[in-house]
Amino acid sequence: MRLSLFLVVSLLVLSVSVCSANVFSSQTYQTSFIGWMRKHDRAYSHEEFTDRYQAFKENMDFIHKWNSQESDTVLGLTKFADLTNEEYKKHYLGIKVNVKKNLNAAQKGLKFFKFTGPDSIDWREKGAVSQVKDQGQCGSCWSFSTTGAVEGAHQIKSGNMVSLSEQNLVDCSGQYGNQGCEGGLMVNAFEYIIDNGGIATESSYPYTAAQGRCKFTKSMNGANIIGYKEIPQGEEDSLTAALAKQPVSVAIDASHMSFQLYSSGVYDEPACSSEALDHGVLAVGYGTLEGKDYYIIKNSWGPTWGQDGYIFMSRNAQNQCGVATMASYPISA
């Protein structure tokens, strides 16, 4: 049974006497929660309600504390504001790798490479980025990063933007090391597309947010690639140089509450790891805002998260969040 708004208000009133000390008044929490529920079309069972409301209040407190400090990052009540950080990580992060900093000689030699390309680029303005998609409660972020990179490469070469199928990758690339909603890697997905002779269009193989039986047929094919390249580990100048040519798949550490609740600004999280990566996203450009260098990152949590589904992540900040640790891009057929 889902609670009516009247019952929600009643439960909020009853909760006043059991609230622990918080930053805001009970009325402020209640008004904010009701408004947030309306905005995001949330409804809970009687059993769910207390936990969701408690998580919401704690997130409100965290947002207030963060935004009270000097930071280029602004947090807000995102679609994940009723989740604890552990719940968020469990349901929405889909890459689980720990990349050791073990650079080979060739990679070390590239540490002296200095990018001298354009000061900024935004592939959204050039038609090489499809609409923001939503992975739902399925750890398939890696498939969205993959399709985004292939969509961009295909559009740049052919002039046609074709939205491609994440579900095709979720259902069919298990033999390449991917695990559907339990995680995967973009390079594994690239390998599958190459060997498969292409990837289906979104319209012919729509997303379900659950792993199923592989249904790909050649008639579904929307694009193909002939190879891919990996960015030397940790080399941001190499990543920026690749981005000057096309969108690039990247893996990042997105485990922090600051990412979960990101609203706007250039993301700067001192606790971010450059080795423990847990989320696949798509870099679609770069630039500088008020002296702060950034990458434009397309996420797969729908357009209501972040800045219309995007996050500006710190660039030239010692590979913050591992943005250049495991980056790769496809070569269109």
Side-chain angles (χ1 to χ4, degrees):
M1 174 184 137
R2 294 294 175 179
L3 295 171
S4 69
L5 202 54
F6 173 78
L7 288 174
V8 166
V9 173
S10 300
L11 283 170
L12 287 170
V13 172
L14 288 171
S15 71
V16 171
S17 61
V18 296
C19 288
S20 58
N22 292 116
V23 173
F24 301 100
S25 68
S26 296
Q27 183 62 45
T28 300
Y29 287 120
Q30 292 169 17
T31 302
S32 299
F33 191 46
I34 292 171
W36 180 88
M37 287 178 64
R38 285 173 172 158
K39 178 181 178 180
H40 295 279
D41 195 26
R42 287 291 202 279
Y44 306 107
S45 69
H46 190 283
E47 292 75 18
E48 293 173 313
F49 180 83
T50 301
D51 289 342
R52 295 307 110 222
Y53 183 45
Q54 183 61 34
F56 183 87
K57 291 191 300 178
E58 291 174 359
N59 285 332
M60 270 190 72
D61 292 349
F62 181 85
I63 290 166
H64 173 76
K65 181 179 179 180
W66 179 284
N67 289 344
S68 297
Q69 303 170 352
E70 291 187 8
S71 175
D72 294 304
T73 310
V74 178
L75 305 188
L77 295 170
T78 68
K79 62 188 288 184
F80 303 129
D82 65 340
L83 300 178
T84 66
N85 186 244
E86 288 304 313
E87 290 168 335
Y88 151 78
K89 290 188 289 187
K90 177 181 178 181
H91 293 297
Y92 292 96
L93 303 182
I95 286 180
K96 299 176 180 66
V97 294
N98 196 305
V99 183
K100 294 182 179 180
K101 293 180 180 178
N102 184 22
L103 306 184
N104 60 37
Q107 290 175 327
K108 289 179 180 178
L110 286 170
K111 294 181 83 67
F112 300 100
F113 170 77
K114 180 65 177 176
F115 175 64
T116 57
D119 292 335
S120 64
I121 194 164
D122 187 342
W123 286 106
R124 296 175 297 180
E125 298 173 351
K126 300 177 182 295
V129 183
S130 66
Q131 77 282 4
V132 173
K133 304 177 185 180
D134 193 342
Q135 69 186 69
Q137 291 192 19
C138 169
S140 56
C141 57
W142 56 274
S143 68
F144 288 83
S145 175
T146 301
T147 57
V150 177
E151 288 167 353
H154 179 75
Q155 193 278 338
I156 291 167
K157 183 167 184 178
S158 69
N160 297 318
M161 168 50 66
V162 180
S163 184
L164 300 173
S165 173
E166 294 78 27
Q167 195 64 42
N168 181 181
L169 300 177
V170 169
D171 290 349
C172 305
S173 65
Q175 292 184 346
Y176 291 77
N178 294 326
Q179 301 175 55
C181 288
E182 300 302 317
L185 296 176
M186 288 77 80
V187 291
N188 293 347
F190 290 149
E191 293 278 4
Y192 162 77
I193 295 170
I194 294 167
D195 291 349
N196 190 55
I199 178 174
T201 63
E202 190 85 54
S203 59
S204 67
Y205 204 151
Y207 188 65
T208 66
Q211 186 173 4
R213 179 177 58 84
C214 182
K215 304 177 184 68
F216 176 85
T217 64
K218 291 296 183 181
S219 63
M220 299 176 176
N221 201 27
N224 195 10
I225 60 175
I226 57 174
Y228 64 91
K229 292 186 178 180
E230 296 181 73
I231 304 298
Q233 190 181 102
E235 296 297 327
E236 286 197 59
D237 274 356
S238 296
L239 171 56
T240 305
L243 256 179
K245 299 178 181 179
Q246 66 186 88
V248 177
S249 288
V250 297
I252 58 173
D253 172 14
S255 64
H256 303 275
M257 288 181 68
S258 57
F259 200 98
Q260 175 183 348
L261 302 169
Y262 169 82
S263 178
S264 64
V266 178
Y267 185 67
D268 190 3
E269 171 54 81
C272 246
S273 172
S274 61
E275 298 180 26
L277 312 179
D278 50 29
H279 193 43
V281 289
L282 183 71
V284 300
Y286 60 86
T288 303
L289 177 65
E290 298 179 350
K292 184 82 172 180
D293 294 339
Y294 62 80
Y295 291 109
I296 306 170
I297 302 294
K298 180 187 181 186
N299 207 344
S300 52
W301 294 340
T304 62
W305 179 88
Q307 299 189 63
D308 299 322
Y310 290 83
I311 181 171
F312 284 14
M313 295 191 68
S314 294
R315 178 169 64 96
N316 297 327
Q318 298 183 321
N319 188 28
Q320 190 184 109
C321 299
V323 68
T325 299
M326 200 169 70
S328 56
Y329 60 93
I331 302 169
S332 183

